[in-house]
Amino acid sequence: CAMDVAIRLANIVCAISVIKGSKAFKENADDLTLLVAEHTAFVAENYEDKGKFPNNHYLSDIAGVIFGSAFVVKTRQNALFKKYLSDALERLEGEVARQLNEDGSDYENSSYYHCFVTELLCETVALLESNKISFSQSIKEKGVLVWKRKSLLSVVNLAVAAAPSGVRSLKRWESPFMTRSWWSRWRW
């Protein structure tokens, strides 16, 4: 599904950000940029926005396209990827308004999805800000609410983890996204 490609895309772009000063990157920059471009185009042409209630898959797609197209635009100044980026920013604004409740929680009411959506939104906002890409203030405002809610969830998770053994173990359902960043912060 496009979400899987979007997650792979984000990981590729994050890996590039780690090796971008290396000899290996310089020798393979064109191939890596092409890889990012192909992944970005696939996701942008296959958004999972069908059905009555698009969900975190669609939000993942949007975040992946933002990461990939921002990278391609910064390195190649490609008009198609500028369009992908602009379109993804519009989609992000609409989905943030639709998928996040007023308190910043995810509308699907699942702690796992909430943490996943929190990472998507916070890291996407961090990427946009660090690369000086303009975006809607409403996205940033919801991002602050989401971040505050994630901080509260972290406290709750610690309390559950420290609870007596009779309480359901957190490790059985805990997401890796709750303990480490999914999208690394970086800039070109």
Side-chain angles (χ1 to χ4, degrees):
C1 72
M3 177 179 152
D4 295 336
V5 178
I7 292 170
R8 184 181 323 122
L9 170 59
N11 287 317
I12 291 167
V13 173
C14 291
I16 289 171
S17 74
V18 172
I19 66 166
K20 66 184 174 192
S22 72
K23 180 180 176 186
F25 173 73
K26 291 173 185 161
E27 291 172 355
N28 297 291
D30 289 339
D31 291 338
L32 290 169
T33 302
L34 179 60
L35 181 67
V36 170
E38 288 173 345
H39 277 68
T40 304
F42 176 83
V43 178
E45 299 299 327
N46 292 285
Y47 279 117
E48 295 170 279
D49 60 348
K50 308 299 182 262
K52 189 173 182 180
F53 298 107
N55 56 23
N56 62 75
H57 286 239
Y58 183 40
L59 203 55
S60 300
D61 299 344
I62 294 167
V65 170
I66 289 172
F67 269 71
S69 59
F71 175 79
V72 173
V73 166
K74 287 275 189 170
T75 59
R76 298 289 192 250
Q77 292 297 314
N78 185 295
L80 176 61
F81 288 87
K82 285 181 183 179
K83 180 183 174 299
Y84 285 156
L85 180 58
S86 175
D87 178 59
L89 289 170
E90 275 185 42
R91 289 172 183 263
L92 181 64
E93 183 172 6
E95 287 308 297
V96 163
R98 198 184 66 69
Q99 289 196 31
L100 297 180
N101 298 322
E102 286 304 311
D103 66 354
S105 62
D106 180 63
Y107 85 103
E108 293 182 82
N109 293 321
S110 161
S111 59
Y112 175 81
Y113 289 155
H114 173 72
C115 290
F116 183 66
V117 168
T118 297
E119 293 293 338
L120 289 172
L121 184 57
C122 290
E123 297 299 340
T124 301
V125 167
L127 169 91
L128 294 169
E129 286 182 336
S130 67
N131 287 284
K132 297 178 178 42
I133 298 170
S134 61
F135 60 99
S136 165
Q137 185 64 25
S138 66
I139 293 171
K140 187 173 185 176
E141 288 168 0
K142 278 284 179 119
V144 169
L145 288 172
V146 166
W147 187 252
K148 286 179 181 176
R149 188 160 177 96
K150 180 172 174 31
S151 298
L152 176 62
L153 273 177
S154 296
V155 170
V156 170
N157 288 337
L158 287 173
V160 170
S165 61
V167 176
R168 187 174 109 190
S169 170
L170 178 68
K171 295 187 185 335
R172 290 180 56 203
W173 58 270
E174 180 179 40
S175 160
F177 307 120
M178 296 167 106
T179 56
R180 66 178 185 263
S181 180
W182 177 49
W183 310 84
S184 292
R185 289 190 174 101
W186 52 281
R187 132 175 28 164
W188 299 279

